[in-house]
Amino acid sequence: MHELGIVFSIIKQVEEVAVKNDVKEVKEVTLEIGEVSGIVPKYLTDCWGWAVINKSEHMKDCDLKIINIKAKSFCEKCGESYDTVKHGKICPNCGSNETYLLTGRETYIKDIKVI
């Protein structure tokens, strides 16, 4: 389960921001996670509760919010974008496989709420 490693990485980044900005407590972290990022939000949430209590100085009562980023692909042949999960690599508009992923693989810390 690589979600625990991802949680540790997020905690490290947020802790660095907290220290740099003299933050006493982080109350909430909002992540944007791509639909095809390979991250399972349920596993991430499960790891989060344990990790912030045991591995964080500033985040003991910190909540995690997850925003899903839809996977969208672009067809180079017809110039249309479409839902990647629904249609895969084949463009539903023209049937071409000359497509690439626009969004849906990324993971970002969107927001950090502090006291």
Side-chain angles (χ1 to χ4, degrees), residues 7 20 35 55 73 86 106 109-110:
V7 166
K20 187 183 250 184
E35 189 174 29
K55 301 293 182 182
S73 289
K86 187 173 181 181
E106 57 273 75
I109 298 173
K110 181 179 194 254

Side-chain angles (χ1 to χ4, degrees), residues 3 7 31 33-35 37-48 64 66-68:
E3 282 79 4
V7 166
L31 300 179
I33 299 176
E35 189 174 29
S37 65
I39 297 171
V40 179
K42 167 90 171 93
Y43 294 165
L44 198 73
T45 303
D46 289 347
C47 293
W48 184 263
L64 176 66
I66 297 174
I67 297 170
N68 185 43

Side-chain angles (χ1 to χ4, degrees), residues 42-61:
K42 167 90 171 93
Y43 294 165
L44 198 73
T45 303
D46 289 347
C47 293
W48 184 263
W50 174 84
V52 294
I53 291 170
N54 294 293
K55 301 293 182 182
S56 173
E57 182 180 331
H58 299 92
M59 302 170 65
K60 300 283 185 209
D61 294 316

